[in-house]
Amino acid sequence: MARIAYILLCHKDPQGIIAQAQRMTASGDFMAIHFDARSPKAAYAQLVEALGDNPSVTFAKRRVKCGWGEWSLVDATLQALKAAEQAFPQATHFYMLSGDCMPVKSAAYARAFLDRDDVDYIESFDFFKSDWIKTGIKEERLIYRHWFNERTQKWRFYKSFEWQKRLGWTRDVPAGLAVQIGSQWWCLRRRTVEAVLDFVATRADVMRFFRTTWIPDETFFQTLVRHLVPDRDIRSRTLTFLMFTDYGMPVTFYNDHYDLLLSQNYLFARKISAEARELKAGLGDLYTSGRMDFPISDEGRNLFRFLTGRGRQGRRFAPRAWEAGASLGRERELLIVTCKKWHVAKRLIDRVGQVAGMKGLHYLFDEEATELPDLGGIEATLAKRGRHRRAVMRMLFEALDTDRLVICVDPSNLALIRDFHHDRAKVRLLEIECDFTDDYLTGHARRVGLAGAETPDAVIARLLPTLRSDMAFESEQIADAAFAGMEKLRQGASLAENTLALAAFLDIPADQAQEIAETHYLFTD
């Protein structure tokens, strides 16, 4: 059975660290602590006094003054790793943690998870080919030498960087190494740790190289493990759940994230807020609970992107340059049906074709799989269709040999609706107003990845009001745009009201409009 030695890097909150160490070791695991040498001596003395008699806790023999982006973080990790490897011969796995990490599964679950596959868990992607680095310098991290910290010695960092570039003073990666990059939060098997420590002791050239790379904690272990261990024995992922904002800052978790964290396919999470006492207490109790039933939905990142993206959707102030002189044609009519329930709008368009003989297209600007005629490749992707929207519509009018065309557009795509309404063609809009039951919204959340089949009901219940509000907001935006000649088809309206709206929108006789409005399955979910 797996027994875990936790490698804990920390620099503050000695009481929290003591509680974390006692909790982990009470379940039969181990902990090696490196406490930043920049931190107060009194805080470190407090740790030693409280945990020094615990046989399952050890301390790094040498404390390092740590700085973000520096070799010191790797050095501190190696100090704790060496201490753990020597002190705990029973340990089968070594798991890297920080003081901001907390378990999101029980110890029993974590051991069973690690026993399932005999592999190492460490993110390791090709440094040069992957897009892991989103901003800032990339290959310059490696080919130049970095003696100074960019955050605390900015002038020296960039001045030495500039002089090396001017002099062409670059260097090569040590022979035989393919540099990898990934998260520093890993879990390695004992034999892998022993191989890494042996490598460190014998390859002085590699150690010299990494000592002057920038942010080596994202490359050092990732590169060495991939160099020493067969690919089949590596899972290129972290077992610690973490997310980053659009600004590259780690997302912090609070008391109301308990259910979300438990449903993710990870063993730990960071960063847990120091103020989230209720969350910390709950996760601490969870670790020693022996619980094994954890429904995994893994929707955390999709949910975060959805919630943070609300309100950030920018608007264009004017048509793009390539669109400025474009028009669908004065003689043409574009009829836009907008509805959040795509199946309702698709059924309506199909019925319009059957009853009134008008040609229609489904969500061509929202759904990649919408069936379209060959337009020479411009229709191939959603990105191309959206970028060249007027050109696409002109070509569709010609390809379908018609001057009247009905299309579906999602209500969130207000910029596209507004853009078409500014065209010289005759453009009319029909909004279909539907009822949204809790069951429908739950299904919608699962379809778009905001929830999974195993997401707890309590999590979904908290999400539903947000989804309902989001859909109401989109409808309000359309109403505020005050498009001329806009009509509404309502699920709860009378047959007469919906017939009138369809007749006006489609400009067809009332009997045809009524036949369409009478479609019994139109609003069925």
Side-chain angles (χ1 to χ4, degrees):
M1 182 180 71
R3 296 189 69 182
I4 308 168
Y6 292 103
I7 309 302
L8 183 68
L9 297 193
C10 47
H11 65 281
K12 61 181 180 180
D13 188 20
Q15 283 302 124
I17 295 167
I18 292 168
Q20 192 176 21
Q22 291 172 339
R23 183 186 310 117
M24 300 296 190
T25 56
S27 297
D29 293 316
F30 311 99
M31 181 169 287
I33 299 173
H34 178 277
F35 195 69
D36 196 333
R38 296 183 190 276
S39 300
K41 292 182 179 179
Y44 181 66
Q46 187 179 351
L47 289 178
V48 174
E49 182 180 356
L51 299 172
D53 294 334
N54 188 330
S56 297
V57 175
T58 190
F59 293 88
K61 290 182 172 56
R62 179 169 62 85
R63 292 170 61 203
V64 179
K65 292 182 179 180
C66 296
W68 187 91
E70 294 179 5
W71 167 255
S72 55
L73 285 175
V74 178
D75 193 7
T77 305
L78 286 171
Q79 296 305 317
L81 194 59
K82 290 175 183 176
E85 191 266 340
Q86 293 171 7
F88 309 125
Q90 312 97 312
T92 61
H93 293 76
F94 296 78
Y95 196 124
M96 175 81 172
L97 291 176
S98 77
D100 296 324
C101 296
M102 287 290 291
V104 294
K105 300 291 186 294
S106 68
Y109 183 98
R111 293 188 191 112
F113 183 97
L114 295 176
D115 283 335
R116 194 179 310 153
D117 296 306
D118 185 22
V119 296
D120 296 307
Y121 293 92
I122 181 169
E123 274 192 351
S124 52
F125 305 104
D126 187 282
F127 184 91
F128 296 100
K129 295 179 182 177
S130 73
D131 62 347
W132 203 86
I133 299 174
K134 303 298 183 185
T135 60
I137 60 175
K138 187 171 181 178
E139 67 175 351
E140 292 87 352
R141 290 190 186 188
L142 307 179
I143 64 173
Y144 296 111
R145 298 156 184 82
H146 301 277
W147 297 283
F148 307 105
N149 190 303
E150 192 266 349
R151 291 191 171 184
T152 60
Q153 300 171 293
K154 193 177 291 289
W155 185 87
R156 289 180 176 177
F157 179 91
Y158 285 107
K159 187 58 67 174
S160 68
F161 185 22
E162 178 186 334
W163 275 105
Q164 288 180 76
K165 286 197 290 185
R166 285 186 181 182
L167 296 171
W169 193 29
T170 60
R171 61 178 178 175
D172 295 326
V173 173
L177 284 188
V179 180
Q180 306 289 304
I181 191 166
S183 167
Q184 71 181 105
W185 312 109
W186 38 254
C187 179
L188 303 177
R189 296 167 297 172
R190 183 175 198 91
R191 63 176 173 271
T192 300
V193 167
E194 291 171 347
V196 167
L197 294 179
D198 287 344
F199 186 92
V200 165
T202 56
R203 288 294 298 270
D205 59 325
V206 173
M207 299 297 282
R208 280 195 302 272
F209 174 80
F210 278 106
R211 278 194 181 97
T212 52
T213 59
W214 182 232
I215 321 182
D217 53 299
E218 294 179 351
T219 55
F220 180 78
F221 288 100
Q222 296 79 356
T223 301
L224 266 58
V225 170
R226 185 67 72 173
H227 180 72
L228 297 168
V229 177
D231 288 352
R232 65 176 181 275
D233 290 344
I234 298 174
R235 298 290 182 270
S236 187
R237 58 159 296 189
T238 175
L239 296 180
T240 299
F241 180 61
L242 66 160
M243 297 190 294
F244 291 90
T245 69
D246 293 345
Y247 305 102
M249 300 300 292
V251 174
T252 301
F253 298 108
Y254 297 93
N255 289 332
D256 56 349
H257 288 125
Y258 181 83
D259 290 327
L260 171 74
L261 293 176
L262 263 60
S263 64
Q264 305 313 303
N265 190 23
Y266 295 86
L267 304 183
F268 281 77
R270 84 178 295 268
K271 290 183 147 186
I272 308 297
S273 170
E275 299 174 0
R277 295 181 180 85
E278 181 182 331
L279 176 61
K280 285 192 167 187
L283 294 177
D285 292 342
L286 174 71
Y287 188 73
T288 56
S289 68
R291 177 179 167 183
M292 295 295 289
D293 59 315
F294 292 92
I296 304 298
S297 53
D298 219 21
E299 79 287 1
R301 288 190 173 85
N302 287 340
L303 189 58
F304 178 75
R305 280 193 295 269
F306 166 71
L307 293 174
T308 55
R310 296 175 72 241
R312 290 189 182 181
Q313 296 160 4
R315 303 176 187 175
R316 291 191 293 114
F317 294 99
R320 294 179 174 89
W322 59 265
E323 290 183 326
S327 173
L328 306 183
R330 293 184 185 277
E331 74 287 356
R332 287 173 173 156
E333 286 185 73
L334 178 62
L335 307 178
I336 302 174
V337 176
T338 185
C339 181
K340 201 64 183 179
K341 289 187 176 181
W342 287 12
H343 60 279
V344 175
K346 290 177 180 180
R347 288 171 187 164
L348 178 70
I349 281 189
D350 292 344
R351 284 294 287 155
V352 168
Q354 294 163 6
V355 175
M358 295 176 62
K359 294 181 179 178
L361 296 165
H362 294 164
Y363 286 85
L364 72 156
F365 294 106
D366 303 289
E367 189 173 32
E368 194 92 57
T370 300
E371 193 171 329
L372 298 173
D374 183 3
L375 303 179
I378 196 173
E379 82 294 348
T381 65
L382 281 178
K384 285 186 178 181
R385 295 175 208 167
R387 190 180 309 123
H388 308 292
R389 59 187 66 156
R390 295 197 188 188
V392 167
M393 289 311 306
R394 281 199 312 274
M395 296 172 75
L396 285 171
F397 275 111
E398 295 166 3
L400 298 174
D401 192 23
T402 183
D403 288 332
R404 300 191 81 205
L405 196 54
V406 192
I407 66 169
C408 302
V409 174
D410 190 88
S412 65
N413 213 338
L414 183 61
L416 182 139
I417 298 172
R418 196 190 302 274
D419 188 28
F420 282 139
H421 265 272
H422 290 157
D423 194 87
R424 291 193 291 271
K426 298 172 186 176
V427 180
R428 291 200 293 276
L429 178 67
L430 175 73
E431 182 186 7
I432 305 179
E433 189 178 278
C434 299
D435 298 333
F436 298 106
T437 64
D438 287 353
D439 285 343
Y440 173 81
L441 291 176
T442 300
H444 174 76
R446 288 180 173 137
R447 283 190 296 275
V448 299
L450 300 179
E454 301 297 335
T455 300
D457 292 341
V459 175
I460 291 177
R462 287 197 293 270
L463 178 60
L464 294 187
T466 302
L467 285 172
R468 200 180 299 279
S469 172
D470 211 49
M471 293 177 181
F473 177 70
E474 290 174 355
S475 183
E476 288 172 8
Q477 281 191 307
I478 290 172
D480 290 341
F483 296 114
M486 175 180 159
E487 302 290 340
K488 267 202 176 188
L489 192 71
R490 294 182 174 88
Q491 184 169 350
S494 66
L495 176 62
E497 290 174 317
N498 283 342
T499 296
L500 193 62
L502 283 172
F505 171 66
L506 297 169
D507 192 18
I508 58 176
D511 59 333
Q512 288 186 337
Q514 181 172 330
E515 186 177 350
I516 297 169
E518 285 177 333
T519 304
H520 67 277
Y521 56 84
L522 185 61
F523 291 101
T524 304
D525 287 333

